[in-house]
Amino acid sequence: GKDGYRHYMEKELHEHPLVIGNTLRRMIDPATRRVVLPDLPFDLAAVPRVTMTACGSAFYAGMIGRYWLEGEARLPVDADVASELRYREPPLTPGGLALLISQSGETADTLAALRSLREGGQHVMSVLNVPESTMARESDVVLDTVAGPEICVASTKAFTAQLSVLACVAIGAARARGTLTDAREEELVQALLDLPGRAAELFGLGDAIREVAEVVADARDVLYLGRGAQFPVALEGALKLKEISYIHAEAYAAGEMKHGPIALIDRTVPVVALAPNGRLFEKTASNLQEARARGGRLMCFTDNSGAARMARIAEKMVVLPDAHEFTAPILHSIAVQMLAYEVALLKGTDVDQPRNLAKSVTVE
Ligand code: M6R
């Protein structure tokens, strides 16, 4: 049941801290505080390239994983949605790694992509929430997200569990490839272990998120902006809003604004910005300033150390706890999911069973 929550989505949002902790516990040895990947039937150090594919939210999790794999393990990652990849016929280097991500393990396009990547001589690694699924049976290695059953059609806790696994894969791959110092590994593992606690703190942000939700619920169109690994978080936020509140939302990499989308900006199109402090903070801030100068209403998700800077341009702010730049996208994902939920409550939609959608898409 819903354990007293109004919707499965609300219950599942509250399971983020637990699920992240349970997923990490499978992959981080508490004694050595090192990432332990299962025995692989291939050598990660020898993999020339990764082809990551999935659908919907699972694909956005993979996009965040791409930043981690490229940044930490210096592995080239090709990323495409499964419905395109399966027909694209990309040239594949034998011995490459296919990285598939799926909550259900039954998504038709992802499964078809898995089969064609295997045919192309790729090792198949899948990040799955259902260990007895079809994709699990057809993979060389399965990494489990320990999210438990996800009932709400809109994915929440499975998403952060996928991110937890992908972060560990990036750390494990980086170690195997010699691109990670011990000090950096310690730092990243600590950042991951801090996540459940930080995620639990997000539930104290309800009032700030509701204020943003009131602006968003009145809009017909909403823009989500982020840079770096916060760009896929923007995509996730926009998808979740579309799915459960039926409000049109688009996500852009903030630096792309001036190449077209900024023409959309006016008082009627709120901008949800993902801007925690970090390497791209000032660049994001100046993109947002440009939107603001054109009359855009900025709803800014930042963190404690970014709050003073953002307060100068944002109309409304949601201030998350500070986190390591590596893990900040995970916290911000939860926050944008919470926003979508609050907007859906204001709209009075059927949160757990949105129109036209199925939990698992087993037809092409
Ligand atoms: O079961 P899968 O993870 O393969 O499903 C993929 C997508 O259908 C899924 O993430 C979908 O986008 C969700 N409704 C997002 O909330």
Side-chain angles (χ1 to χ4, degrees), residues 55-58 102-104 107 153-155 162 239-240 243 361:
C55 299
S57 281
S102 176
Q103 188 283 127
S104 62
T107 300
V153 167
S155 183
Q162 287 160 352
L239 177 66
K240 220 106 289 182
E243 283 190 292
V361 184

Side-chain angles (χ1 to χ4, degrees), residues 208 211-212 214-215 297-301 314-318:
E211 277 193 35
V212 174
E214 274 160 24
V215 174
R297 303 180 64 181
L298 277 190
M299 313 286 126
C300 189
F301 287 74
E315 178 179 328
K316 297 206 181 293
M317 293 213 296
V318 179

Side-chain angles (χ1 to χ4, degrees), residues 65-83:
R66 170 167 66 172
Y67 286 89
W68 293 334
L69 279 166
E70 292 184 341
E72 302 301 330
R74 312 300 302 141
L75 252 172
V77 180
D78 183 21
D80 203 355
V81 288
S83 55

Side-chain angles (χ1 to χ4, degrees), residues 51-55 59 79-90 92 97-102 106-126 135 138-139 364:
T51 304
M52 185 286 288
T53 190
C55 299
F59 179 69
D80 203 355
V81 288
S83 55
E84 286 301 312
L85 185 89
R86 61 181 291 194
Y87 296 114
R88 233 180 67 208
E89 303 178 5
L92 297 165
L97 178 63
L99 179 59
L100 291 294
I101 304 154
S102 176
E106 302 295 344
T107 300
D109 283 320
T110 312
L111 178 60
L114 181 157
R115 288 173 179 158
S116 77
L117 289 165
R118 168 185 291 296
E119 209 124 290
Q122 308 298 290
H123 304 295
V124 177
M125 178 187 273
S126 298
M135 284 179 60
E138 299 193 21
S139 301
E364 186 176 343

